């Protein structure tokens, strides 16, 4: 039994090495090793939607832009760009205490004789090495950078001129992927990795105290008046749960102007050696179909709780639900209802694999269970050494698309970076329409202060991001303030006038005794009591 458990642990490690997932907060898991090395068809992760260009000096301008790698973390401004002056930190920026008064170009000195800090906004260039990409970009973000360009320090083996010019004994076959180290959820600025041969030219200009201006640009393909977007995840993925709970209303608001396709990430058990030569399942309960289709164990306990095979089964169930209740309109209201119900009712070790619990979710989402059960059987099922058509299609799609991180959302075939939130995906979708064809909901809610309320009511009551107030509220507040100050001023005026009148009456009563009509001298107070209405100048 001990030997069997050891074998299971080794197989678990092997499968995790095939595609290691590291849960992050609030966003992103990373798939590494064999997946990146051999199974992805693309040369780089996902689809490259960005562009890197040098505008100043003109001698470094390239019509086609500069080769680079885009970080798999941070939040790029899709449909926009960042064009700013570049400052070279002359550091790998691994120390959290960033000295903003060093680097190039040289700046003027302040009254204390120290060089002025990098003037914001700016793009910061830092050297590769010493720590993770995430740590560098985080430190740059804290220093005030709007974007980061990491200068590679190793030549590509294919670039013989670079290798010979630098006299390097070590070269790299390809540029590294700027993957998240598992802690990049707090990164909000974009970053690129620039090839060494190009970065050296930029650094030379900056060291010579010449100003360099770089533009970092992101674009989404805009083919027509309908946007297509995809979500790659697994039923056990923790990071995407909040998104799946909230995005239904957005999908409904976009209607037929956007087409959604959910994808379930399935691990190829044959490539990860989970199927033996005799067809035996070598990965035990991590896989179905005698080791063909696998998933990692959500709770890392092969003997208890949710197994990888349970995750594969739920994945196939959701694929079938989409085929019958979402594929036609691309909105999939019942699919979203089922997923939400499953997360509320069954997403725990006691009920995840319980068919009765899934049946309750069917009823809640108004789904015919017989249709889904038949779909799962007809596609090839999950028993014996039998191929499953739908699971094979998912594995082919993830390889051709080059999916390397989970969860990942794609808009018009371009992978989105940064936090997986309803607002982020909605903004990317709205930027994916052909100019002039955006649906009204985009113009109404894209910059609304209360995004969720705007989507629910299809009307924004607080225009302007960051919790701004509506024009009506603002004008009402101004009017109230004016009335309040006006009332206070009027009260002060009346009170002051009355006090002055009382003073005058007192003076007249004390110093100006008046003679009556009959020649008698009247009381000084008679005039005061009459309010001072008589003419004091006697003719």
């Amino acid at each position: 039994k001990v030997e069997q458990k050891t074998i299971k642990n080794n197989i678990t490690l092997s499968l995790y090495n095939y595609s290691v997932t590291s849960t992050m907060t609030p966003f992103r898991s990373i798939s590494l090793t064999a997946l990146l090395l051999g199974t992805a068809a693309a040369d780089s992760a996902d689809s490259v939607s960005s562009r890197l260009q040098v505008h100043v000096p003109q001698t470094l301008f390239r019509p086609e832009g500069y080769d680079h790698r885009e970080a798999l973390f941070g939040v790029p401004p899709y449909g926009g760009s960042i064009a700013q002056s570049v400052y070279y930190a002359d550091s790998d920026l691994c120390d959290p205490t960033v000295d903003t008064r060093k680097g190039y170009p040289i700046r003027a000195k302040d009254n204390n004789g120290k060089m002025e800090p990098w003037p914001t906004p700016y793009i910061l260039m830092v050297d590769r090495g010493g720590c993770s990409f995430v740590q560098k970009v985080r430190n740059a973000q804290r220093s005030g950078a709007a974007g980061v360009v990491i200068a590679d320090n190793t030549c590509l083996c294919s670039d013989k001129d670079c290798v010979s010019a630098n006299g390097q004994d070590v070269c790299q076959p390809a540029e590294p992927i700027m993957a998240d180290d598992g802690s990049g959820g707090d990164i909000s600025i974009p970053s690129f990795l620039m090839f060494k041969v190009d970065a050296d030219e930029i650094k030379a200009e900056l060291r010579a105290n010449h100003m360099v201006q770089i533009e970092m640009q992101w674009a989404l393909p805009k083919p027509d008046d309908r946007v297509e977007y995809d979500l790659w995840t697994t039923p056990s993925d923790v990071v995407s749960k909040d998104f799946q709970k909230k995005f239904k209303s957005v999908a409904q608001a976009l209607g037929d102007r956007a087409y959604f396709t959910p994808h379930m990430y399935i691990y190829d058990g044959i490539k990860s050696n989970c199927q033996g030569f005799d067809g035996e399942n070598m990965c035990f309960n991590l896989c179905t179909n005698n080791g063909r289709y696998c998933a990692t164990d959500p709770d890392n306990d092969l003997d208890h709780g949710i197994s990888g095979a349970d995750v594969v089964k739920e994945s196939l169930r959701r694929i079938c639900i989409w085929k019958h209740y979402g594929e036609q309109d691309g909105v999939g209201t019942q699919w979203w209802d089922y997923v939400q119900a499953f997360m509320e009712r069954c997403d725990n070790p006691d009920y995840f694999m319980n068919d009765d619990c899934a049946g309750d979710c069917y009823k809640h989402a108004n789904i015919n269970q017989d249709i889904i059960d038949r779909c799962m059987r007809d596609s090839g099922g999950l028993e014996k050494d039998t191929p499953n058509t739908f699971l094979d299609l998912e594995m082919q799609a993830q390889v051709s698309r080059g999916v390397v991180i989970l969860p990942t959302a794609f808009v018009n075939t371009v992978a989105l970076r940064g936090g997986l939130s309803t607002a982020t995906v909605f903004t990317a979708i709205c930027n994916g329409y052909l100019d002039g064809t955006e649906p009204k909901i985009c113009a109404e809610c894209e910059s609304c202060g209360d995004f969720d309320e705007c989507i629910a009511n299809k009307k924004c009551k607080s225009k302007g991001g960051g919790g701004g107030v509506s024009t009506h509220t603002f004008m009402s507040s101004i009017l109230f303030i004016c009335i309040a100050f006006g009332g206070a001023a009027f009260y002060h005026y009346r009170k002051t006038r009355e006090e002055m009148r009382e003073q005058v009456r007192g003076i007249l009563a004390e110093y100006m005794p008046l003679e009556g009509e009959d020649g008698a001298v009247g009381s000084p107070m008679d005039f005061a009591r009459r309010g001072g209405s008589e003419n004091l100048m006697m003719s």
Side-chain angles (χ1 to χ4, degrees):
K1 185 174 182 180
V2 173
E3 182 181 358
Q4 185 182 33
K5 184 156 186 159
T6 302
I7 294 174
K8 286 184 177 182
N9 291 336
N10 289 337
I11 291 171
T12 304
L13 179 61
S14 174
L15 186 57
Y16 270 87
N17 284 336
Y18 171 69
S19 183
V20 178
T21 55
S22 176
T23 303
M24 299 160 38
T25 304
F27 182 57
R28 294 285 191 213
S29 300
I30 311 168
S31 300
L32 301 172
T33 58
L35 180 62
L36 299 181
L37 297 175
T39 60
D43 291 335
S44 62
D46 306 322
S47 300
V48 176
S49 61
S50 56
R51 177 182 173 87
L52 179 62
Q53 182 61 274
V54 176
H55 293 293
V56 179
Q58 185 65 27
T59 54
L60 294 181
F61 177 83
R62 294 181 184 177
E64 70 281 4
Y66 282 79
D67 289 331
H68 63 282
R69 290 290 179 264
E70 182 181 354
L72 303 185
F73 53 89
V75 184
Y78 290 104
S81 64
I82 299 174
Q84 298 295 339
S85 297
V86 181
Y87 289 90
Y88 174 46
D90 194 21
S91 164
D92 57 19
L93 223 69
C94 291
D95 189 342
T97 305
V98 178
D99 186 358
T100 61
R101 295 181 180 270
K102 64 180 294 187
Y104 300 92
I106 301 295
R107 281 89 63 204
K109 294 185 178 181
D110 60 16
N111 296 332
N112 297 322
K114 295 182 179 180
M115 190 162 59
E116 295 282 356
W118 305 315
T120 57
Y122 59 88
I123 295 174
L124 192 62
M125 175 171 276
V126 303
D127 292 323
R128 180 188 171 192
C131 58
S132 69
F133 292 124
V134 170
Q135 186 173 340
K136 295 175 186 290
V137 178
R138 178 182 291 111
N139 292 336
Q141 176 176 291
R142 290 172 177 171
S143 75
V148 178
V149 175
I150 297 177
D152 201 351
N153 55 7
T154 307
C155 295
L156 290 173
C157 295
S158 58
D159 191 343
K160 303 300 181 183
D161 294 336
C162 178
V163 174
S164 60
N166 288 273
Q168 292 184 341
D169 297 329
V170 179
C171 61
Q172 56 189 5
E175 290 293 336
I177 294 174
M178 291 185 67
D180 198 328
D181 63 1
S183 66
D186 61 329
I187 305 298
S188 60
I189 63 173
S191 54
F192 291 161
L193 175 69
M194 198 173 196
F195 293 14
K196 175 176 171 56
V197 64
D198 298 325
D200 286 348
E201 291 188 62
I202 305 296
K203 288 194 288 186
E205 286 288 326
L206 295 171
R207 286 181 179 277
N209 295 320
H210 297 158
M211 186 56 65
V212 176
Q213 187 183 73
I214 281 181
E215 181 178 23
M216 305 167 72
Q217 186 178 30
W218 294 263
L220 291 173
K222 301 183 177 183
D224 50 35
D225 61 351
R226 190 182 83 160
V227 169
E228 297 180 0
Y229 64 108
D230 308 64
L231 174 66
W232 284 89
T233 184
T234 67
S236 59
D237 177 45
V238 176
V239 181
S240 63
K241 287 180 180 179
D242 187 64
F243 173 83
Q244 294 183 79
K245 288 179 181 178
K246 295 180 178 180
F247 202 77
K248 171 191 168 184
S249 58
V250 179
Q252 291 175 322
L254 292 168
D256 60 1
R257 299 297 307 280
Y259 188 92
F260 173 62
T261 304
H263 290 282
M264 299 294 114
Y265 198 98
I266 306 297
Y267 297 96
D268 191 332
I270 295 178
K271 288 187 177 181
S272 57
N273 298 318
C274 282
Q275 189 178 70
F277 294 108
D278 56 356
E280 182 183 357
N281 182 1
M282 303 298 294
C283 290
F284 303 97
N285 61 358
L286 293 176
C287 306
T288 65
N289 303 72
N290 282 39
R292 284 179 175 270
Y293 311 108
C294 307
T296 53
D297 193 302
D299 43 26
N300 298 324
D301 187 347
L302 291 175
D303 298 319
H304 304 92
I306 306 168
S307 68
D310 296 328
V311 176
V312 174
K313 181 177 180 179
E314 179 59 25
S315 297
L316 180 59
R317 180 182 286 125
R318 295 187 185 187
I319 292 170
C320 283
I321 292 173
W322 180 259
K323 292 289 182 184
H324 290 276
Y325 292 93
E327 194 172 59
Q328 184 173 358
D329 63 3
V331 176
T333 299
Q334 289 162 284
W335 185 88
W336 291 105
D337 287 340
Y338 171 82
V339 172
Q340 291 175 7
F342 188 91
M343 287 189 288
E344 293 172 359
R345 293 169 164 81
C346 312
D347 194 14
N348 58 73
D350 294 327
Y351 292 101
F352 191 97
M353 68 293 294
N354 189 299
D355 290 335
D356 292 335
C357 188
D360 290 338
C361 298
Y362 288 143
K363 294 177 182 178
H364 175 81
N366 196 24
I367 291 173
N368 189 320
Q369 180 173 348
D370 293 336
I371 293 177
I372 305 306
D373 290 344
R374 184 167 61 252
C375 171
M376 295 175 69
R377 289 194 305 270
D378 293 347
S379 63
L382 298 170
E383 305 295 331
K384 302 179 181 180
D385 186 13
T386 306
N388 185 289
T389 303
F390 290 156
L391 297 182
D392 282 336
L393 288 174
E394 289 295 276
M395 291 195 301
Q396 293 169 16
Q398 68 198 30
V399 170
S400 62
R401 183 59 61 86
V403 180
V404 296
I405 51 179
L406 293 177
T408 292
F410 286 81
V411 174
N412 286 350
T413 72
V414 173
L416 303 186
R417 313 300 186 198
L420 183 65
S421 66
T422 54
T424 300
V425 176
F426 176 77
T427 300
I429 290 173
C430 290
N431 280 290
Y433 289 101
L434 189 67
D435 293 340
T437 66
E438 300 88 349
K440 292 181 180 179
I441 194 70
C442 287
E444 188 67 32
C445 297
E446 191 172 0
S447 59
C448 186
D450 192 336
F451 175 78
D452 294 333
E453 183 183 10
C454 182
I455 290 295
N457 301 323
K458 297 186 179 180
K459 183 177 179 62
C460 183
K461 295 183 179 180
S462 56
K463 277 290 184 183
V469 297
S470 66
T471 302
H472 174 75
T473 303
F474 177 75
M475 294 305 297
S476 299
S477 301
I478 293 296
L479 180 61
F480 174 79
I481 292 172
C482 290
I483 293 174
F485 273 100
F490 180 74
Y491 171 77
H492 179 72
Y493 165 75
R494 289 291 302 270
K495 183 178 180 181
T496 303
R497 186 167 176 265
E498 189 65 30
E499 289 176 351
M500 290 180 64
R501 178 175 291 176
E502 289 295 331
Q503 291 177 3
V504 170
R505 289 174 180 172
I507 292 172
L508 291 176
E510 185 175 354
Y511 296 106
M512 298 182 64
L514 303 178
E515 184 179 342
E517 294 179 357
D518 55 357
V521 177
S523 171
M525 292 303 296
D526 290 341
F527 175 79
R529 293 191 188 100
R530 290 193 293 268
S533 58
E534 296 185 15
N535 190 353
L536 298 178
M537 301 299 294
M538 305 300 292
S539 57

